Structures are given as C-alpha cells and as structure tokens.
Amino acid sequence: QVQLVESGGGLVQTGGSLRLSCAASTTIFSGNDMGWYRQAPGLQRELVASITSGGGTYYQRSVEGRFTISRDNAKNMVYLQMNSLKPEDTAVYYCNAADTYIVDWGRGTQVTVSS
C-alpha cells in the first residue's frame, strides 16, 4: 500500500519557485509531526522542514526565510512552498513523519535548480 505520494517537483531557474505537495495516508498523518526531507546525490537524506499537528514549524537554517511548510489536516496533505531557489536546493524531496515515526519512503519528487 502506497502511504506517501510526493508531487510538484521540476526544473526551475535560480530564484524561481516551486510548490511541493504530499498526500499522506491517515495512519501516517494523524497525530504526527510531518516533515519534508531531501537527498542530493552523494549526500545523506536531511530534514528540511517540519510541522506539528498544531502548526508549529521548524526550518533548517539554509532554507529558513525561503521555504514555508504547511498542512491541511482535513485532506491529509503537506505542502512545501519553495521560493528564491538556489542550485544547492537540487535534490529529491520526500515527505514523511518527523522524528521517530518515519515509515517506508515514497518515491519522492525531483527538484532541479539551474544556474
């Protein structure tokens, strides 16, 4: 059973914007903090941003002020609005529960930022 489906990635120029969407199953979404992660070639997967069920947010310093995470509890959806994109943001982006409640990873969505 597919529990996480990411979409919205693509190719964008430096300074451009993308909005990523994540459709999560109820078992993952309900009662969990949710996060966006990314993995660039040759690097480990890292947490980019997270959001609590009540809407509290955390951002990695490198994206703070440029990215905004949000969630729609009625739709089991998590979003990541990415502005002022940089080539260093190029990676496969994944959503999942935050902290210790991570489940099987989805396929992710590729974000490529050209110079």
Side-chain angles (χ1 to χ4, degrees):
Q1 180 181 358
V2 177
Q3 298 185 90
L4 297 162
V5 180
E6 300 93 344
S7 62
L11 175 63
V12 65
Q13 293 182 331
T14 297
S17 297
L18 287 171
R19 184 174 187 256
L20 307 184
S21 298
C22 170
S25 68
T26 301
T27 55
I28 298 172
F29 196 92
S30 298
N32 282 331
D33 297 356
M34 298 295 295
W36 281 96
Y37 304 76
R38 67 186 180 188
Q39 186 169 28
L43 301 178
Q44 291 187 252
R45 199 189 329 257
E46 62 179 353
L47 178 67
V48 176
S50 63
I51 184 167
T52 68
S53 61
T57 58
Y58 159 83
Y59 298 95
Q60 184 190 98
R61 173 177 278 192
S62 65
V63 307
E64 189 171 13
R66 300 188 296 119
F67 291 9
T68 303
I69 188 171
S70 61
R71 65 192 291 163
D72 186 334
N73 292 336
K75 297 180 179 179
N76 289 353
M77 296 287 291
V78 189
Y79 306 98
L80 187 68
Q81 178 67 47
M82 305 186 294
N83 299 325
S84 302
L85 283 163
K86 305 174 181 179
E88 304 91 271
D89 297 318
T90 295
V92 179
Y93 284 71
Y94 304 86
C95 66
N96 213 317
D99 298 325
T100 61
Y101 298 100
I102 294 174
V103 300
D104 290 347
W105 298 95
R107 286 184 282 272
T109 185
Q110 176 72 50
V111 172
T112 303
V113 185
S114 63
S115 300

